[in-house]
């Protein structure tokens, strides 16, 4: 292997490590494409993941601006040279893709391509995707060495994609288990409230004639219990609702959840965002889960009247702060008593995203939970 642009052993090692460290499928796809384009010194690179309907479920590109990609239009179908990459065993290397009889259906806004190199990404008999490169920057087009390097990248890409899929499936199972737990909590909490409500209402009915004053007190208790049951129900429904991170991003998802919680609880819940840029998927999910856990604690356990959520840019990364004016607690005493209030889970999520979590609280002073993550 030569020592041309990006072709040293260290560069290859860095690319392979980057693939293996990603947990989200979309991050793995992006890392594969960027690594392939840089290592093979190509102008353009793309990776398509097929769906079951003759199209691509995902199609990631590098070397094309967002404006160019917007003009190109919808995701391509599995036809022509793209289909060939999905259904053949080895690589396809062409001196000029435009002269190949399978070159068809390319949008008018697509950048002009000449030399071409592509191959499938496979896990056993399953085709996970196809990786394409076009327009070698150095003269002479793609080489035998490029083909060998692409084969190496494809092998590691298959491992990284398989691992990412397994991670996402395990996370889906965890989410399903969490929803089941919440459903049980909802049943227990609301059932208990409704049982108390029924008994109190019966007591009020029995007292209406002989002790109207006490009956009035019992009816006030009925109203309070009904409000608590409604709060429990709304909070559980909110937690059961899946987050829209993939579609809406962190800021919009967090803003929507805060808005729902503000309506569902007597405490006033606010959200402020300043200067946030998009973060890697792993970090965005960690920030969202920590925010949800901190909000859950503040609204269900602290007796707070106000809860503030702030998401702000911190250098190249971001900082999340959740502050409440509730009763507060002694973090040391909580740990000693074996009651963590989700602190262990939050710290694990923060460290898993390369960040850190700090907790500031004392009895009677409220609580501030801050999580900071570096830039991607």
């Amino acid at each position: 292997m030569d020592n041309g642009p990006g072709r040293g052993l260290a560069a290859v090692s860095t690319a392979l490590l980057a693939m293996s460290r990603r947990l989200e499928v979309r991050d793995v796809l992006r890392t594969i494409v960027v690594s392939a384009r840089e290592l093979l010194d190509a102008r353009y690179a793309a990776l398509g993941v097929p769906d079951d309907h003759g199209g691509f479920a995902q199609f990631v590109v590098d070397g094309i601006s967002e404006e160019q990609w917007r003009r190109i239009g919808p995701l391509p179908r599995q036809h022509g040279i793209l289909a060939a990459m999905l259904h053949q065993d080895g690589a396809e290397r062409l001196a000029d893709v435009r002269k190949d009889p399978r070159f068809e259906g390319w949008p008018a806004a697509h950048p002009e391509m000449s030399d071409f190199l592509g191959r499938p990404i496979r896990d056993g008999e399953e085709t996970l995707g196809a990786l394409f490169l076009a327009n070698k920057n150095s003269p002479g087009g793609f080489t035998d060495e490029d083909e060998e390097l692409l084969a190496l990248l494809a092998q590691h890409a298959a491992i990284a994609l398989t691992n990412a899929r397994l991670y996402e499936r395990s996370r889906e199972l965890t989410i399903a288990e969490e929803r089941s737990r919440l459903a049980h909590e909802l049943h227990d909490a609301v059932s208990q409230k409704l049982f108390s409500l029924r008994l109190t209402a019966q007591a009020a009915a029995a007292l209406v004639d002989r002790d109207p004053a006490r009956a009035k007190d019992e009816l006030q208790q009925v109203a309070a219990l009904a409000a608590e049951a409604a709060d429990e129900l709304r909070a559980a429904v909110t937690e059961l609702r899946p987050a829209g991170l993939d579609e809406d991003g962190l800021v919009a998802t967090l803003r929507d959840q805060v808005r729902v919680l503000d309506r569902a609880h007597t405490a006033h819940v606010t959200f402020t965002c300043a200067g946030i840029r998009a973060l890697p998927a792993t970090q965005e999910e960690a920030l969202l889960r920590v925010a949800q856990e901190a909000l859950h604690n503040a609204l269900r356990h602290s007796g707070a009247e106000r809860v503030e959520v702030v998401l702000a840019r911190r250098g190249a990364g971001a900082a999340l702060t959740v502050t409440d004016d509730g009763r507060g607690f002694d973090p040391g005493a909580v740990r000693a008593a074996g009651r963590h209030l989700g602190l262990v889970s939050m710290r694990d999520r923060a460290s898993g995203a390369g960040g850190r979590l700090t907790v500031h609280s004392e009895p009677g002073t409220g609580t501030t939970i801050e999580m900071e993550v570096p830039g991607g």
Side-chain angles (χ1 to χ4, degrees):
M1 187 173 297
D2 62 39
N3 291 317
R7 297 296 294 272
L9 183 59
V12 176
S13 177
T14 299
L16 299 183
L17 283 173
M19 286 185 209
S20 66
R21 286 173 176 164
R22 302 296 182 184
L23 294 177
E24 306 284 346
V25 168
R26 64 178 183 176
D27 288 344
V28 171
L29 296 174
R30 165 60 56 188
T31 304
I32 293 168
V33 170
V34 172
S35 299
R37 189 175 78 85
E38 291 177 351
L39 288 171
L40 275 72
D41 193 26
R43 178 73 182 276
Y44 305 113
L47 194 163
V49 177
D51 61 19
D52 297 325
H53 310 289
F56 286 93
Q58 293 169 290
F59 202 87
V60 182
V61 298
D62 192 42
I64 295 176
S65 69
E66 289 187 11
E67 176 60 23
Q68 285 177 305
W69 185 240
R70 186 189 63 79
R71 291 202 307 267
I72 288 172
L75 293 183
R77 305 292 296 171
Q78 295 174 26
H79 62 268
I81 197 73
L82 301 185
M85 293 302 94
L86 291 170
H87 299 109
Q88 68 184 46
D89 292 329
E92 184 78 48
R93 178 157 44 116
L94 303 169
D96 191 338
V97 68
R98 295 166 297 185
K99 295 179 181 178
D100 190 278
R102 296 164 298 178
F103 183 74
E104 59 175 336
W106 292 69
H110 199 286
E112 191 159 318
M113 293 185 173
S114 53
D115 44 319
F116 174 92
L117 177 63
R119 72 170 298 124
I121 297 173
R122 287 194 171 167
D123 178 22
E125 295 298 315
E126 182 185 4
T127 299
L128 304 180
L131 185 56
F132 320 98
L133 297 120
N135 296 28
K136 180 86 171 177
N137 287 318
S138 53
F142 295 103
T143 64
D144 290 341
E145 187 184 82
D146 291 326
E147 198 169 316
E148 292 174 4
L149 182 56
L150 186 61
L152 176 65
L153 287 174
Q155 290 172 5
H156 284 268
I159 296 169
L161 275 173
T162 300
N163 288 342
R165 284 181 168 184
L166 290 172
Y167 167 76
E168 291 195 349
R169 286 171 188 165
S170 69
R171 191 178 62 182
E172 288 170 7
L173 287 173
T174 300
I175 291 171
E177 291 170 358
E178 179 68 6
R179 288 184 181 176
S180 177
R181 182 188 66 80
L182 287 169
H184 284 299
E185 283 189 5
L186 170 63
H187 177 269
D188 293 344
V190 175
S191 293
Q192 183 178 356
K193 288 287 191 305
L194 292 177
F195 180 71
S196 299
L197 188 63
R198 186 176 64 182
L199 290 180
T200 308
Q202 289 172 346
L207 290 167
V208 165
D209 293 328
R210 70 173 184 269
D211 194 341
R214 281 187 61 195
K216 183 178 180 181
D217 290 340
E218 293 293 333
L219 288 173
Q220 288 176 340
Q221 182 64 16
V222 166
L225 287 169
E228 289 176 14
D231 278 351
E232 293 276 2
L233 180 60
R234 292 191 190 106
V237 168
T238 299
E239 292 184 69
L240 287 166
R241 184 181 295 115
L245 266 182
D246 289 343
E247 297 80 12
D248 303 326
L250 175 63
V251 173
T253 301
L254 197 49
R255 180 182 289 116
D256 287 346
Q257 293 201 5
V258 166
R259 187 181 298 121
V260 171
L261 290 171
D262 184 48
R263 293 199 305 267
H265 292 269
T266 55
H268 185 39
V269 190
T270 61
F271 174 67
T272 305
C273 177
I276 283 295
R277 62 175 64 176
L279 295 165
T282 301
Q283 292 182 343
E284 289 202 347
E285 178 167 353
L287 285 165
L288 177 63
R289 299 308 177 198
V290 167
Q292 289 173 327
E293 185 70 41
L295 283 165
H296 172 87
N297 288 341
L299 294 170
R300 303 287 283 277
H301 303 300
S302 77
E305 294 182 0
R306 294 186 61 85
V307 183
E308 298 178 355
V309 181
V310 177
L311 188 62
R313 188 171 174 177
R314 183 72 58 83
L320 167 76
T321 307
V322 180
T323 305
D324 70 67
D325 62 357
R327 63 179 62 96
F329 63 96
D330 179 353
V334 167
R335 285 194 297 271
R339 296 182 297 109
H340 303 296
L341 295 178
L343 297 181
V344 172
S345 172
M346 287 190 280
R347 287 199 172 96
D348 286 346
R349 287 192 181 277
S351 62
R356 61 186 178 86
L357 186 100
T358 55
V359 179
H360 304 283
S361 186
E362 292 179 15
T365 65
T367 301
T368 296
I369 291 176
E370 183 178 52
M371 174 179 170
E372 184 175 350
V373 295

